[in-house]
Amino acid sequence: MAYEFQVAVDSQRPHELVAWWAETLGWEVEPQDEAFIKKMIAEGHATDEDTMMFNGALVWRDGGAVRYPGEVGSGMHGPHPRVLFQLVPEGKTVKNRMHLDVRIGQDNLDEVVARLTERGATYLHSSSQGPHTWVTMADPEGNEFCVS
C-alpha cells in the first residue's frame, strides 16, 4: 500500500515562515477557518490563548501550512505534499537531516539566490556533481534548503 505524506517543519514563528515559503515557492497559504476556530473556543475545545491574529486573520497559534497552487481547499489529498509549519519552543540548533530541494527549472540560479537572500535567506554554499549545480541556503529560521 502506498501512503501520502506532508512535510512538517518545526518553527518558532510558524506563520511568518508560512508567508515566507508561500512567496518563495509561489504556493498558496492554506486558509484557516475563523468561524470554526471561534466555534471550537465557544464549545470549550480551545481557548483564546490557542489563537492569534496574523495579517488581520484569526489563526491557530500552533501553525499553518502552504499548498501547491489550486490545491487549497482540496483537503489533505493532492498530488503535491502539503508543507506544515508547527510551533515549537526551541530554536534550531543543528543541521537538518532532511531538507527541501527547490527546483527552479529554467530560472537563473544566481537571480533566484539573490532574491531569496534579499528576503531573509542565508547563502551557505554552492555545490555541483557532474553537470548539476545547486546552492544550499537557510530560510529565516535557519532551516536548510537547496536551490537548483
Side-chain angles (χ1 to χ4, degrees):
M1 170 182 251
Y3 298 102
E4 293 183 12
F5 68 93
Q6 74 176 355
V7 176
V9 179
D10 291 349
S11 174
Q12 290 191 298
R13 298 179 320 276
H15 295 285
E16 292 176 28
L17 273 191
V18 164
W20 192 88
W21 276 101
E23 183 177 339
T24 295
L25 297 172
W27 286 23
E28 298 173 355
V29 173
E30 187 175 87
Q32 296 193 25
D33 186 341
E34 187 168 331
F36 175 76
I37 294 171
K38 288 179 178 179
K39 179 180 179 207
M40 292 296 100
I41 293 169
E43 292 178 359
H45 301 293
T47 67
D48 287 328
E49 289 76 35
D50 296 323
T51 68
M52 62 181 280
M53 295 298 292
F54 185 77
N55 288 344
L58 183 67
V59 297
W60 293 112
R61 180 176 304 281
D62 285 349
V66 296
R67 299 290 296 265
Y68 189 82
E71 292 183 6
V72 167
S74 66
M76 290 294 293
H77 306 288
H80 303 91
R82 174 182 191 249
V83 183
L84 171 71
F85 295 85
Q86 60 190 8
L87 181 65
V88 296
E90 71 279 353
K92 182 176 175 302
T93 58
V94 297
K95 182 183 181 307
N96 294 14
R97 294 295 302 245
M98 277 181 66
H99 64 267
L100 300 180
D101 284 341
V102 179
R103 297 179 294 196
I104 62 170
Q106 300 301 312
D107 287 354
N108 182 294
L109 183 60
D110 292 335
E111 290 175 12
V112 171
V113 167
R115 276 196 315 267
L116 291 171
T117 302
E118 289 171 9
R119 295 186 39 249
T122 303
Y123 171 90
L124 299 177
H125 57 85
S126 297
S127 301
S128 65
Q129 185 175 39
H132 304 287
T133 61
W134 64 92
V135 173
T136 302
M137 304 187 79
D139 73 14
E141 284 200 14
N143 301 299
E144 294 96 0
F145 66 99
C146 292
V147 181
S148 62

